[in-house]
Amino acid sequence: MSNKKRILLIGSANMDLTMNMYKLPEAGEVLIDDAGVAYMPGGKGTNGAIALTRLGAQCIFSTKLGADAHGQKLYNYYKEMGIDASHVMVDRDNPTGLSVVIKESDCSVRKIIYPGANSNITTEQVMEAFDCHPDALYLSFEIPYAMAVAAAKVASAKNIPIFVSAGPASKEYALEALPPVEIFCPNEQEVFEYTGIKPVTMETSLHACLNLYRRCKCKYVVIKQGAKGAFVYDGKHYDTLPAIKTAGKVVDTTAAGDTFTAALTVEYLRNGKDIKGAITYANAAAAVAISRKGAVASIPTEEEVNALFRK
């Protein structure tokens, strides 16, 4: 029998339209650029599901696709990648979600999301997804916030630990509505959106965590801070765990945050809930992800992360 952790991910599924360009055009300006465009599987849900699977968990993905070519391609991709797609549903009235990802030559990334079928995940779908008897629930907020809260409440009632990749963020989200979660994991921009505090120093990071900790009932707040690493707070103690440096340069930061949170979740569940060890593992996974191009294409395997540790 497999000893893999079974992680239910209720989240978004998008087809990513990636546009590479030297720079964004000004209003009214027309640019001709030959850096290329591509359609690839995406969305925070898809990225998380791929990362959980590649890093050694069994991911059960509950999402909603349109009855269109993009939806069929995504469904086939999930099956090929070894993701349990038994709770992927079809929306015959709305298209599959679309993300437009704009990458400039300085490695900055901008994203526009058209939710499509993601907006129509229902309470019934959320309830049915728990038939898979998961060891943990993984959530992000590219689905309607009310559905994320509903899923968290079902998990809490069943004593299933909850891990939240807390983006995209909105001031409108009542974090107080969430039941107790194991780890609440935003990035710096999401922290600023929730709290109005930019977590750029140890002091401001702590102030932001105090704000989040008062509003969100969680065991740990972990702030993803890119090149600085990650900041962790447990209600009493705080620390910064530095990013892991590699010999290569930063190539593409797309999906690095989703890779970090998925790696954090997997390692925390299998290492006896050692939060600092899990963050170090997540930093290593993110270090591999930013060293190569693409979203799902950049997500490392368990073997690749372990190889970085050995070095």
Side-chain angles (χ1 to χ4, degrees), residues 291-308:
S291 70
R292 50 201 189 192
K293 291 184 179 180
V296 294
S298 72
I299 297 170
T301 63
E302 184 178 3
E303 291 74 23
E304 289 172 322
V305 179
N306 289 339
L308 180 55

Side-chain angles (χ1 to χ4, degrees), residues 159-206:
N159 294 315
I160 297 169
I162 304 160
F163 297 81
V164 179
S165 180
S170 170
K171 294 182 177 69
E172 305 302 316
Y173 293 162
L175 300 180
E176 298 83 355
L178 288 167
V181 304
E182 199 77 11
I183 298 176
F184 186 82
C185 188
N187 64 25
E188 290 179 310
Q189 183 56 42
E190 290 156 0
V191 168
F192 179 67
E193 185 71 20
Y194 287 127
T195 69
I197 301 169
K198 293 184 177 180
V200 294
T201 67
M202 187 78 81
E203 183 179 7
T204 56
S205 296
L206 178 58

Side-chain angles (χ1 to χ4, degrees), residues 1-62:
M1 180 179 290
S2 172
N3 60 359
K4 290 184 177 183
K5 297 296 183 180
R6 291 174 55 79
I7 301 175
L8 171 62
L9 191 160
I10 300 179
S12 58
N14 297 328
M15 184 62 77
D16 279 359
L17 169 58
T18 301
M19 305 167 64
N20 300 290
M21 59 187 66
Y22 177 73
K23 72 177 187 72
L24 285 172
E26 302 294 334
E29 180 183 12
V30 176
L31 294 179
I32 298 176
D33 200 316
D34 61 358
V37 298
Y39 283 102
M40 292 293 292
K44 291 184 74 65
T46 296
N47 294 342
I50 294 296
L52 292 171
T53 302
R54 287 183 180 165
L55 294 169
Q58 173 61 63
C59 179
I60 302 93
F61 190 17
S62 177

Side-chain angles (χ1 to χ4, degrees), residues 111-150:
K111 183 180 286 189
I112 305 165
I113 299 172
Y114 301 91
N118 293 307
S119 295
N120 288 325
I121 292 176
T122 63
T123 304
E124 291 76 16
Q125 182 178 351
V126 167
M127 296 291 290
E128 289 174 5
F130 283 89
D131 292 346
C132 69
H133 305 293
D135 297 308
L137 172 67
Y138 183 106
L139 291 170
S140 59
F141 298 151
E142 275 186 357
I143 60 173
Y145 185 68
M147 291 299 99
V149 172

Side-chain angles (χ1 to χ4, degrees), residues 78-94:
Y78 301 149
K79 299 288 285 184
E80 290 169 7
M81 292 298 104
I83 295 168
D84 184 335
S86 58
H87 290 278
V88 174
M89 303 299 171
V90 176
D91 183 340
R92 302 195 177 279
D93 299 317
N94 293 280

